[in-house]
Amino acid sequence: MLLERTIIQLDIGPLPLDEARQLGQLGFMQWLAGLPGAADYPSAARAAHARATPFAAGSPALAEFCALLTASLCGPIAPLPLAMPAQRRRGGAAKRSLRMPL
């Protein structure tokens, strides 16, 4: 099942907070995209939270995943703070453009 795979992928132990936040968000999006179209979201989110919570203490990424699940169930409907990781640019294209052709 996709939920177990997501939990395994996120349960990687201590991470810097920024990386844990990004991984938790990516895990949430992965889990959300894997839900069937006719799924009962509140039930699925509560079940996912119940499965992931025992592992959240040792994994900040799973703690972020659980926090997003909780936030999605609480309060009025509002956008969740999801963002893709910033693209890393190493400048390889610029370095290659400066080389002299052979």
Side-chain angles (χ1 to χ4, degrees):
M1 181 175 213
L2 185 61
L3 175 60
E4 283 80 18
R5 183 176 183 176
T6 301
I7 291 171
I8 290 169
Q9 289 173 337
L10 295 177
D11 191 16
I12 56 175
L15 291 171
L17 291 179
D18 190 45
E19 287 181 37
R21 182 186 53 78
Q22 289 176 359
L23 282 176
Q25 289 178 358
L26 289 172
F28 178 78
M29 288 187 272
Q30 174 179 296
W31 169 80
L32 186 60
L35 288 178
D40 177 22
Y41 180 80
S43 297
R46 283 191 290 273
H49 190 274
R51 295 285 301 235
T53 299
F55 306 102
S59 174
L62 268 172
E64 176 68 21
F65 176 73
C66 290
L68 287 168
L69 288 169
T70 301
S72 73
L73 292 169
C74 295
I77 296 175
L80 293 173
L82 301 177
M84 292 300 293
Q87 189 177 28
R88 293 176 55 179
R89 301 193 66 161
R90 296 192 178 130
K95 291 176 188 173
R96 285 189 295 277
S97 70
L98 295 175
R99 290 186 196 154
M100 297 182 74
L102 296 176

